[in-house]
Amino acid sequence: MKKLIAGNWKMNGSLAANEALLRAIAQGLAGGAPSCDIAVCVPSVYLPQLQALLGEAASPHVPALGAQDVSPHASGAFTGEINAAMLKEFGCRYVIVGHSERRQYHGESDALVAEKARAALAAGITPIVCVGETLAEREAGRTEEIVRRQLAAVIHVNGHCISEIVVAYEPVWAIGTGKTASPDAAQAVHAVLRAQLQAASDRSARVRILYGGSMNAANAKDLLRQPDIDGGLIGGAALKATDFLRIIAAAPHPVPAKTAI
Ligand code: PEP
Protein backbone atom coordinates (compact mmCIF):
# COMPACT_ATOMS: atom_id res chain seq x y z
CA MET A 1 0.00 0.00 0.00
CA LYS A 2 1.24 3.49 -0.85
CA LYS A 3 1.94 5.67 2.18
CA LEU A 4 0.01 8.92 2.56
CA ILE A 5 1.73 12.08 3.73
CA ALA A 6 -0.89 14.69 4.63
CA GLY A 7 -0.12 18.21 5.80
CA ASN A 8 -2.43 19.85 8.33
CA TRP A 9 -1.93 23.57 7.89
CA LYS A 10 -4.21 24.27 10.88
CA MET A 11 -5.15 27.99 11.20
CA ASN A 12 -2.09 29.23 9.35
CA GLY A 13 -1.56 30.92 6.03
CA SER A 14 -2.54 33.87 3.88
CA LEU A 15 -3.18 34.18 0.16
CA ALA A 16 0.46 35.11 -0.43
CA ALA A 17 1.96 32.54 1.96
CA ASN A 18 -0.22 29.71 0.63
CA GLU A 19 0.77 30.43 -2.93
CA ALA A 20 4.47 30.51 -2.08
CA LEU A 21 4.22 27.27 -0.06
CA LEU A 22 2.19 25.41 -2.66
CA ARG A 23 4.45 26.53 -5.51
CA ALA A 24 7.54 25.43 -3.60
CA ILE A 25 6.00 22.02 -2.86
CA ALA A 26 4.89 21.58 -6.49
CA GLN A 27 8.34 22.57 -7.71
CA GLY A 28 9.95 20.06 -5.38
CA LEU A 29 7.67 17.30 -6.69
CA ALA A 30 7.99 18.19 -10.38
CA GLY A 31 11.06 15.99 -10.86
CA GLY A 32 9.17 12.70 -10.81
CA ALA A 33 6.44 10.65 -9.19
CA PRO A 34 6.85 10.53 -5.40
CA SER A 35 6.77 7.15 -3.65
CA CYS A 36 3.70 8.16 -1.65
CA ASP A 37 0.37 9.93 -1.95
CA ILE A 38 0.35 13.52 -0.72
CA ALA A 39 -2.34 15.85 0.56
CA VAL A 40 -2.61 19.29 2.10
CA CYS A 41 -5.50 20.03 4.48
CA VAL A 42 -5.99 23.77 4.45
CA PRO A 43 -8.29 26.30 6.15
CA SER A 44 -11.63 26.13 4.34
CA VAL A 45 -11.62 29.76 3.18
CA TYR A 46 -8.52 28.97 1.13
CA LEU A 47 -9.95 25.92 -0.65
CA PRO A 48 -10.88 27.91 -3.80
CA GLN A 49 -7.38 29.39 -3.94
CA LEU A 50 -5.71 26.01 -3.52
CA GLN A 51 -8.08 24.36 -5.97
CA ALA A 52 -7.13 26.97 -8.58
CA LEU A 53 -3.39 26.74 -7.87
CA LEU A 54 -3.45 22.94 -8.06
CA GLY A 55 -5.40 23.12 -11.31
CA GLU A 56 -2.82 25.45 -12.83
CA ALA A 57 0.21 23.39 -11.81
CA ALA A 58 2.29 22.27 -14.75
CA SER A 59 3.33 18.99 -13.09
CA PRO A 60 0.92 16.08 -12.45
CA HIS A 61 2.67 15.40 -9.12
CA VAL A 62 0.76 17.77 -6.89
CA PRO A 63 -0.89 17.19 -3.52
CA ALA A 64 -4.54 16.27 -3.22
CA LEU A 65 -6.68 18.80 -1.41
CA GLY A 66 -8.21 18.34 2.00
CA ALA A 67 -10.15 20.30 4.64
CA GLN A 68 -9.77 20.26 8.41
CA ASP A 69 -13.36 19.82 9.54
CA VAL A 70 -16.86 19.21 8.19
CA SER A 71 -20.40 19.57 9.48
CA PRO A 72 -22.27 16.35 10.23
CA HIS A 73 -25.37 18.00 8.75
CA ALA A 74 -26.37 18.12 5.09
CA SER A 75 -27.60 21.73 5.04
CA GLY A 76 -29.76 24.21 6.91
CA ALA A 77 -29.64 26.50 9.93
CA PHE A 78 -26.13 25.73 11.16
CA THR A 79 -24.43 29.13 11.17
CA GLY A 80 -20.70 28.96 10.55
CA GLU A 81 -20.71 25.32 9.44
CA ILE A 82 -19.51 23.93 6.10
CA ASN A 83 -21.02 20.75 4.72
CA ALA A 84 -19.35 17.93 2.86
CA ALA A 85 -21.01 18.77 -0.47
CA MET A 86 -19.45 22.24 -0.27
CA LEU A 87 -16.02 20.73 0.36
CA LYS A 88 -16.55 18.42 -2.59
CA GLU A 89 -17.39 21.37 -4.86
CA PHE A 90 -13.97 22.80 -4.11
CA GLY A 91 -12.12 19.63 -4.94
CA CYS A 92 -11.60 18.13 -1.49
CA ARG A 93 -10.51 14.53 -1.51
CA TYR A 94 -9.89 14.34 2.24
CA VAL A 95 -11.19 15.93 5.41
CA ILE A 96 -9.71 15.64 8.88
CA VAL A 97 -12.30 14.76 11.53
CA GLY A 98 -11.85 14.50 15.28
CA HIS A 99 -8.51 16.26 15.47
CA SER A 100 -7.58 16.52 19.15
CA GLU A 101 -7.69 20.33 18.92
CA ARG A 102 -11.36 20.09 17.92
CA ARG A 103 -12.08 17.48 20.58
CA GLN A 104 -10.36 19.69 23.17
CA TYR A 105 -11.39 23.24 22.20
CA HIS A 106 -14.77 22.52 20.63
CA GLY A 107 -15.90 19.67 22.86
CA GLU A 108 -16.31 17.23 20.00
CA SER A 109 -17.49 13.83 21.22
CA ASP A 110 -16.72 10.42 19.75
CA ALA A 111 -20.33 10.29 18.47
CA LEU A 112 -20.02 13.65 16.70
CA VAL A 113 -16.73 12.64 15.10
CA ALA A 114 -18.39 9.46 13.84
CA GLU A 115 -21.22 11.52 12.31
CA LYS A 116 -18.73 13.83 10.62
CA ALA A 117 -16.98 10.79 9.12
CA ARG A 118 -20.35 9.56 7.90
CA ALA A 119 -21.15 12.91 6.26
CA ALA A 120 -17.77 12.94 4.50
CA LEU A 121 -18.14 9.37 3.24
CA ALA A 122 -21.64 10.09 1.94
CA ALA A 123 -20.18 12.90 -0.18
CA GLY A 124 -17.33 10.75 -1.49
CA ILE A 125 -14.68 12.42 0.66
CA THR A 126 -12.21 10.34 2.65
CA PRO A 127 -12.32 11.23 6.33
CA ILE A 128 -8.98 11.22 8.13
CA VAL A 129 -10.22 10.13 11.55
CA CYS A 130 -7.90 11.24 14.35
CA VAL A 131 -7.59 9.27 17.57
CA GLY A 132 -5.10 9.61 20.40
CA GLU A 133 -4.61 9.70 24.12
CA THR A 134 -3.61 12.59 26.37
CA LEU A 135 -0.48 12.46 28.51
CA ALA A 136 -2.55 11.74 31.63
CA GLU A 137 -4.30 8.87 29.85
CA ARG A 138 -0.97 7.45 28.66
CA GLU A 139 0.53 7.70 32.12
CA ALA A 140 -2.52 5.93 33.53
CA GLY A 141 -1.93 3.07 31.08
CA ARG A 142 -5.14 3.85 29.21
CA THR A 143 -3.78 4.45 25.68
CA GLU A 144 -5.26 1.32 24.14
CA GLU A 145 -8.64 1.79 25.81
CA ILE A 146 -8.89 5.42 24.61
CA VAL A 147 -7.93 4.89 20.99
CA ARG A 148 -10.09 1.77 20.73
CA ARG A 149 -13.07 3.66 22.15
CA GLN A 150 -12.59 6.56 19.71
CA LEU A 151 -12.28 4.26 16.71
CA ALA A 152 -15.15 2.03 17.86
CA ALA A 153 -17.56 4.98 17.67
CA VAL A 154 -16.59 5.56 14.03
CA ILE A 155 -16.84 1.86 13.20
CA HIS A 156 -20.25 1.67 14.90
CA VAL A 157 -21.72 4.42 12.68
CA ASN A 158 -19.81 3.64 9.47
CA GLY A 159 -19.34 -0.12 9.70
CA HIS A 160 -20.38 -0.94 6.16
CA CYS A 161 -17.86 1.47 4.60
CA ILE A 162 -15.15 1.54 7.25
CA SER A 163 -12.57 0.40 4.70
CA GLU A 164 -12.92 3.82 3.00
CA ILE A 165 -11.55 5.83 5.93
CA VAL A 166 -8.03 6.85 6.86
CA VAL A 167 -7.12 6.70 10.56
CA ALA A 168 -4.54 8.99 12.14
CA TYR A 169 -3.06 7.99 15.47
CA GLU A 170 -2.05 11.26 17.07
CA PRO A 171 -0.98 11.07 20.71
CA VAL A 172 -2.15 14.42 22.06
CA TRP A 173 1.03 14.90 24.08
CA ALA A 174 3.09 14.70 20.86
CA ILE A 175 1.16 17.27 18.82
CA GLY A 176 3.11 20.48 18.34
CA THR A 177 5.36 19.67 21.31
CA GLY A 178 8.46 18.32 19.60
CA LYS A 179 7.95 15.05 21.53
CA THR A 180 7.35 12.12 19.23
CA ALA A 181 6.20 8.62 20.08
CA SER A 182 9.12 6.27 19.50
CA PRO A 183 8.70 4.16 16.36
CA ASP A 184 8.12 1.05 18.51
CA ALA A 185 5.56 2.75 20.75
CA ALA A 186 3.70 4.17 17.76
CA GLN A 187 3.81 0.81 15.97
CA ALA A 188 2.33 -0.91 19.03
CA VAL A 189 -0.71 1.40 19.00
CA HIS A 190 -1.04 1.10 15.21
CA ALA A 191 -1.12 -2.69 15.57
CA VAL A 192 -3.98 -2.38 18.07
CA LEU A 193 -5.91 -0.16 15.64
CA ARG A 194 -5.15 -2.52 12.75
CA ALA A 195 -6.53 -5.48 14.70
CA GLN A 196 -9.66 -3.50 15.58
CA LEU A 197 -10.21 -2.63 11.91
CA GLN A 198 -9.59 -6.24 10.89
CA ALA A 199 -12.27 -7.42 13.28
CA ALA A 200 -14.69 -4.88 11.79
CA SER A 201 -14.19 -5.44 8.07
CA ASP A 202 -12.70 -8.01 5.75
CA ARG A 203 -11.53 -5.09 3.56
CA SER A 204 -9.60 -3.42 6.37
CA ALA A 205 -6.21 -4.08 4.78
CA ARG A 206 -6.79 -1.06 2.56
CA VAL A 207 -7.23 1.34 5.51
CA ARG A 208 -4.21 3.56 5.98
CA ILE A 209 -3.23 4.32 9.56
CA LEU A 210 -1.15 7.50 9.73
CA TYR A 211 1.02 8.63 12.62
CA GLY A 212 0.86 12.28 13.68
CA GLY A 213 2.65 14.17 16.41
CA SER A 214 5.83 16.14 15.78
CA MET A 215 6.79 14.06 12.76
CA ASN A 216 9.63 15.85 11.02
CA ALA A 217 12.36 15.38 8.46
CA ALA A 218 14.67 13.78 11.04
CA ASN A 219 12.30 11.18 12.53
CA ALA A 220 10.04 10.42 9.55
CA LYS A 221 12.14 7.63 8.08
CA ASP A 222 12.15 5.47 11.21
CA LEU A 223 8.44 6.01 11.84
CA LEU A 224 7.44 5.36 8.23
CA ARG A 225 9.31 2.08 8.03
CA GLN A 226 7.13 0.51 10.76
CA PRO A 227 4.85 -2.15 9.29
CA ASP A 228 1.56 -0.60 10.44
CA ILE A 229 2.47 3.07 9.94
CA ASP A 230 1.02 3.89 6.55
CA GLY A 231 1.93 7.55 6.44
CA GLY A 232 1.96 10.74 8.44
CA LEU A 233 -0.30 13.60 9.40
CA ILE A 234 2.06 16.54 9.63
CA GLY A 235 1.36 19.85 11.37
CA GLY A 236 4.25 22.25 11.91
CA ALA A 237 6.63 20.62 9.45
CA ALA A 238 4.02 20.89 6.67
CA LEU A 239 4.33 24.68 6.72
CA LYS A 240 7.89 24.65 5.38
CA ALA A 241 8.21 23.25 1.88
CA THR A 242 11.72 21.89 2.45
CA ASP A 243 10.67 19.99 5.59
CA PHE A 244 7.47 18.67 4.01
CA LEU A 245 9.39 17.54 0.91
CA ARG A 246 11.99 15.77 3.06
CA ILE A 247 9.25 13.85 4.87
CA ILE A 248 7.74 12.89 1.50
CA ALA A 249 11.18 11.73 0.34
CA ALA A 250 11.53 9.60 3.50
CA ALA A 251 8.43 7.54 2.67
CA PRO A 252 9.45 4.10 1.44
CA HIS A 253 8.07 2.80 -1.85
CA PRO A 254 5.12 0.43 -1.51
CA VAL A 255 5.99 -3.24 -1.34
CA PRO A 256 4.74 -4.78 -4.60
CA ALA A 257 1.78 -7.11 -4.16
CA LYS A 258 2.70 -10.82 -4.45
CA THR A 259 1.64 -12.28 -7.78
CA ALA A 260 0.39 -15.86 -8.01
CA ILE A 261 2.68 -18.21 -9.96
C1 PEP B 1 -1.29 17.79 13.79
O1 PEP B 1 -1.72 18.90 14.05
O2 PEP B 1 -2.05 16.94 13.28
C2 PEP B 1 0.11 17.49 14.07
C3 PEP B 1 0.53 16.26 13.99
O3 PEP B 1 0.88 18.57 14.42
P1 PEP B 1 2.50 18.55 14.62
O4 PEP B 1 3.08 17.79 13.47
O5 PEP B 1 2.86 19.99 14.60
O6 PEP B 1 2.75 17.87 15.90
Side-chain angles (χ1 to χ4, degrees):
M1 164 161 54
K2 252 190 180 181
K3 308 263 179 193
L4 170 63
I5 302 297
N8 173 12
W9 289 7
K10 310 199 191 201
M11 196 175 70
N12 293 293
S14 65
L15 289 171
N18 300 343
E19 179 163 353
L21 178 54
L22 204 273
R23 288 199 191 286
I25 293 170
Q27 199 177 359
L29 296 173
S35 58
C36 58
D37 292 330
I38 305 160
V40 288
C41 299
V42 308
S44 290
V45 287
Y46 293 128
L47 287 170
Q49 181 203 15
L50 271 292
Q51 186 186 32
L53 285 170
L54 290 165
E56 284 162 17
S59 155
H61 310 304
V62 290
L65 194 51
Q68 300 173 11
D69 186 32
V70 65
S71 171
H73 303 290
S75 65
F78 300 101
T79 302
E81 296 262 62
I82 295 174
N83 70 30
M86 294 170 184
L87 298 182
K88 188 78 179 172
E89 274 200 301
F90 287 95
C92 277
R93 172 116 169 255
Y94 298 98
V95 61
I96 298 170
V97 296
H99 191 283
S100 64
E101 287 152 14
R102 294 212 59 88
R103 292 180 190 262
Q104 187 181 350
Y105 305 136
H106 300 269
E108 292 196 1
S109 64
D110 294 342
L112 178 61
V113 173
E115 286 300 324
K116 289 184 172 198
R118 185 196 49 73
L121 288 166
I125 298 174
T126 303
I128 301 177
V129 177
C130 299
V131 300
E133 82 287 2
T134 63
L135 185 58
E137 288 162 345
R138 168 158 285 256
E139 286 175 348
R142 297 180 61 209
T143 298
E144 192 172 320
E145 169 205 332
I146 299 297
V147 298
R148 283 180 57 85
R149 189 203 71 212
Q150 291 170 333
L151 183 58
V154 178
I155 291 172
H156 178 68
V157 170
N158 299 281
H160 54 291
C161 45
I162 203 68
S163 62
E164 305 308 314
I165 73 168
V166 168
V167 177
Y169 168 54
E170 297 209 303
V172 179
W173 48 270
I175 296 179
T177 59
K179 291 183 195 144
T180 316
S182 71
D184 286 349
Q187 164 58 30
V189 180
H190 281 233
V192 166
L193 295 169
R194 177 81 66 211
Q196 190 177 4
L197 289 163
Q198 264 160 6
S201 164
D202 52 13
R203 301 185 70 222
S204 65
R206 53 186 272 130
V207 178
R208 291 190 277 203
I209 307 176
L210 315 183
Y211 169 80
S214 299
M215 190 187 272
N216 58 38
N219 61 30
K221 195 171 174 195
D222 287 342
L223 286 160
L224 292 171
R225 78 157 67 112
Q226 297 300 313
D228 290 304
I229 298 186
D230 306 313
L233 183 56
I234 322 295
L239 297 172
K240 281 199 201 125
T242 45
D243 290 354
F244 194 53
L245 288 164
R246 283 173 65 198
I247 295 172
I248 291 165
H253 284 272
V255 181
K258 285 191 188 119
T259 44
I261 301 171

